[in-house]
Amino acid sequence: MLLHDATSCYQALLTHDARFDGVFFVGVRTTGIYCRPICPAKTPKEENCVYYAHAAAAEQAGYRPCLRCRPELAPGNASVDAIGELAQRAASRIEDGVLSEISVTALAAELGVSERHLRRAVESAFGVSPHALAQTQRLLLAKRLLTDTALPVTQIAFASGFQSVRRFNSVFQERYRLTPTALRKNVPALPAQTEQTLDIALTYRPPFDWSGLLGFLKSRTLAGVEDIDGDTYRRTVRWQEHTGWLSACAKDNERVLRISLSLSLAQALPPILARIKSLFDLGASPHRINDVLGALAADCPGLRVPGAFHGFETAVRAILGQQVSVKAATTLASRFAAALGELVATPFANLTHLSPTPERVARTPKQELIALGILETRALAILALAQAAVEGKISLEPGEDRAATLKALVALPGIGEWTAQYIAMRALAWPDAFPHTDLGVKKALGETQPTKILEIADAWRPWRAYATMHLWRSLEAKQ
């Protein structure tokens, strides 16, 4: 898909404007290479440039990724309505690596549409087919791992989502005109690789209020599952049969989040990286958000909306947080995790348990939850949520149908509008979620009438979740 405003794109390219990093890519006709707008190479002549909204579209047009600016490192984009909700949902599932396991037909059925309609939506939004989008993501992840890690090529092939090393080598050479081994030979020096750790850098668009994000998460940390040590976030991880841990730390002026993962998670990299990006809201475009929020965002332009690594975990935490203080809810949630979470070995003394799964929670007697200090109404709400998740009636991941998920949530006992909107804000990563009945929102606005609050917030669409975070932050600043 070509971008229409070529003049604006070229101006961003001339100034190496980081605000547009990942928003578009530029193909250079004279070299056959495509770059990020921040590429340090000499800027090509305007008549030699063609612009694409997605790396997959550039690659389908025959361009190869630049070895200097490395398009695989470009930040993603937040979920907004501009490209259509179906395309967003499909892209989210494809980023998880779903097309390495099921067909496009099966994905369409999962999303409740025909295969033809799915293909049309994805091609309209990204300029390529679902299969081509998935193939580009696999290749770019492989390129990143070949350049940034010392993982064996065979392990990289499977970690990137390829079903065989032979297929990986064939597609890589066909698309990039060199073999994986040849690419690795061009790397000046591979990073030191321990036997237990995989290190990856994820980019974001500045500014980024990392300390504010950590502060929010720290006050809600699940003891044993999560830990914050200085400027580093750590947590245990379960993805299907894979278990391990991760840590994340942002370095000033680098525009990257440094991620370390246990090697036990290498075969589940696509979905894990997608959830890390969601947890830390790495796809946000601060300048777009702040242009809409105006004065509300002036004091903290790099604020992010904390997402969720496990949607079910965050939803349970939201239920436990109903009408109690953040500290009290965190105590209950930590007690809940310790009682129902599976023990896991990590090199960190404060990481001892995996987050409880819906399956484990669903088979827990109500009285066992009540014995933890959880009110009966909330225990019933948690059990109903777990059962709905186990039965596939509800899924709490980015990319899910928001309207259907919100409807399913409020239909459960003990879950009202506030809880549903909070879950949508964090677990579904919906930037326009707005818990307008929240007491903090009311206090920050000096308004108690829900209809008036919604009227005020209408000016903040489609970024009302960010507005909520700014309102909460304004209360903390007054304390």
Side-chain angles (χ1 to χ4, degrees):
M1 178 176 63
L2 297 181
L3 295 179
H4 298 297
D5 191 0
T7 300
S8 296
C9 288
Y10 193 68
Q11 287 302 311
L13 185 64
L14 284 173
T15 58
H16 304 290
D17 196 331
R19 297 178 302 169
F20 298 95
D21 189 14
V23 174
F24 72 86
F25 298 87
V26 55
V28 184
R29 294 187 178 98
T30 52
T31 63
I33 288 172
Y34 75 96
C35 302
R36 299 157 69 182
I38 62 168
C39 186
K42 181 180 178 180
T43 304
K45 294 181 179 179
E46 187 170 6
E47 60 267 25
N48 293 329
C49 297
V50 60
Y51 305 98
Y52 298 91
H54 198 279
E59 293 199 3
Q60 181 160 289
Y63 292 94
R64 292 171 289 126
C66 175
L67 295 179
R68 291 192 66 181
C69 67
R70 300 182 59 197
E72 70 271 17
L73 300 183
N77 288 300
S79 174
V80 292
D81 292 333
I83 64 171
E85 186 172 348
L86 176 59
Q88 292 172 16
R89 294 173 60 203
S92 180
R93 297 290 288 122
I94 291 170
E95 187 176 14
D96 278 350
V98 68
L99 291 186
S100 296
E101 302 173 358
I102 64 174
S103 65
V104 174
T105 303
L107 176 59
E110 179 184 302
L111 296 174
V113 298
S114 68
E115 181 180 348
R116 181 180 179 183
H117 185 43
L118 174 62
R119 289 183 181 278
R120 185 165 55 241
V122 172
E123 288 174 5
S124 175
F126 302 106
V128 297
S129 69
H131 176 73
L133 185 62
Q135 193 78 292
T136 296
Q137 290 182 351
R138 293 186 198 111
L139 287 167
L140 289 178
L141 176 56
K143 184 174 179 293
R144 174 195 292 251
L145 296 176
L146 285 165
T147 304
D148 292 346
T149 78
L151 284 176
V153 172
T154 298
Q155 194 169 356
I156 288 173
F158 292 109
S160 303
F162 288 90
Q163 300 303 306
S164 72
V165 177
R166 181 177 180 180
R167 175 63 177 163
F168 168 55
N169 287 327
S170 174
V171 174
F172 198 95
Q173 186 164 13
E174 176 186 333
R175 185 74 67 86
Y176 296 159
R177 301 171 205 168
L178 75 168
T179 65
T181 303
L183 174 66
R184 177 161 271 179
K185 286 181 180 178
N186 289 327
V187 179
L190 284 172
Q193 181 73 60
T194 71
E195 294 182 358
Q196 300 176 336
T197 306
L198 178 64
D199 297 319
I200 295 176
L202 298 177
T203 56
Y204 56 81
R205 297 178 192 86
F208 185 23
D209 183 18
W210 176 244
S211 62
L213 181 57
L214 279 189
F216 182 94
L217 294 174
K218 187 171 185 177
S219 64
R220 294 159 177 82
T221 298
L222 291 180
V225 175
E226 301 173 288
D227 183 47
I228 293 178
D229 181 12
D231 62 356
T232 300
Y233 171 91
R234 298 189 183 99
R235 69 163 295 129
T236 60
V237 174
R238 181 204 302 271
W239 183 258
Q240 297 178 354
E241 71 274 17
H242 306 286
T243 61
W245 56 268
L246 68 82
S247 70
C249 181
K251 298 296 184 182
D252 291 341
N253 303 318
E254 283 189 347
R255 294 209 302 267
V256 299
L257 193 66
R258 301 275 175 194
I259 306 295
S260 293
L261 298 161
S262 57
L263 278 180
S264 58
L265 301 174
Q267 299 309 309
L269 269 184
I272 288 174
L273 291 179
R275 274 147 190 78
I276 292 173
K277 294 173 185 177
S278 177
L279 174 61
F280 300 118
D281 196 15
L282 299 186
S285 297
H287 75 288
R288 293 179 60 200
I289 298 165
N290 298 339
D291 282 349
V292 174
L293 299 188
L296 184 63
D299 290 341
C300 189
L303 179 145
R304 295 300 202 268
V305 175
F309 192 87
H310 291 302
F312 178 73
E313 171 187 291
T314 299
V316 169
R317 175 66 177 72
I319 293 171
L320 293 174
Q322 293 171 348
Q323 299 178 334
V324 298
S325 68
V326 170
K327 183 177 180 180
T330 301
T331 298
L332 279 177
S334 297
R335 199 179 294 161
F336 174 88
L340 303 182
E342 180 183 334
L343 288 171
V344 65
T346 76
F348 307 104
N350 291 335
L351 297 183
T352 56
H353 290 75
L354 296 167
S355 184
T357 64
E359 292 78 9
R360 172 66 179 89
V361 176
R363 63 174 184 266
T364 302
K366 177 185 69 175
Q367 293 303 321
E368 188 174 328
L369 297 185
I370 293 174
L372 296 174
I374 300 172
L375 293 177
E376 182 176 6
T377 53
R378 288 173 197 151
L380 291 172
I382 291 170
L383 292 174
L385 176 69
Q387 191 60 42
V390 170
E391 295 175 358
K393 295 179 179 178
I394 195 167
S395 178
L396 302 172
E397 300 292 344
E400 292 300 322
D401 185 314
R402 299 166 191 150
T405 304
L406 285 170
K407 183 178 180 180
L409 282 169
V410 297
L412 295 173
I415 295 183
E417 184 67 16
W418 178 89
T419 306
Q421 288 291 325
Y422 183 84
I423 292 171
M425 178 177 161
R426 296 195 57 197
L428 303 185
W430 185 25
D432 203 37
F434 187 54
H436 69 281
T437 60
D438 180 77
L439 292 177
V441 169
K442 292 179 179 179
K443 185 176 181 180
L445 290 176
E447 179 58 67
T448 59
Q449 294 298 319
T451 54
K452 291 185 179 179
I453 291 174
L454 288 172
E455 288 176 6
I456 294 170
D458 195 58
W460 299 325
R461 286 184 177 275
W463 311 111
R464 292 184 302 176
Y466 293 87
T468 301
M469 293 298 300
H470 280 290
L471 292 172
W472 287 343
R473 182 181 178 277
S474 72
L475 294 177
E476 294 174 0
K478 294 176 182 177
Q479 293 179 355

